[in-house]
Amino acid sequence: MNPLELLAADAAAANPVNLWGALGCAVAYSASLLATLDAFADLILSRGDSPAGRLTPGVGLKFASKLAAAAIAVISAAIVLALDDNWFAFSTLSIAFAVVVGIGVIVLLRHSRTSVPQPAPANTTG
């Protein structure tokens, strides 16, 4: 073995991936994902229950607090994975989170588009 191979093997043995840290970050990502989807569901349900489709201040605060907590948890977990040089877990968890939240946003936008009250057709029979 040449000295570079020995150095690379020694560096790989000295800094293994922290699997427990990756598992903890995966749990943080999944909890954040569930909180985000729950916030979207609250928004959809509250628009159907409130007058004129507007949010009450309490529901708006609940929605925003869930999204803020989810963002804090995801950013913290991403930082931990990046500091641990676990780029595989960082990439896969971030992509999965973005895809599922993107699907949730699409559903939220579709629901808001279909739930807008349409004006009644004009009486054309004279």
Side-chain angles (χ1 to χ4, degrees), residues 42-126:
D42 285 346
L43 189 61
I44 289 171
L45 292 173
S46 67
R47 283 187 177 165
D49 294 340
S50 62
R54 297 182 56 97
L55 292 179
T56 62
V59 173
L61 182 63
K62 183 179 173 186
F63 174 73
S65 66
K66 284 181 183 180
L67 290 183
I72 290 168
V74 164
I75 291 169
S76 299
I79 290 171
V80 168
L81 289 172
L83 289 175
D84 201 24
D85 288 335
N86 194 345
W87 299 110
F88 176 75
F90 175 83
S91 301
T92 55
L93 290 172
S94 296
I95 290 169
F97 184 82
V99 166
V100 174
V101 169
I103 292 169
V105 167
I106 290 169
V107 169
L108 184 65
L109 291 174
R110 267 198 193 155
H111 180 269
S112 66
R113 201 175 312 142
T114 59
S115 65
V116 173
Q118 300 296 326
N123 189 357
T124 59
T125 58

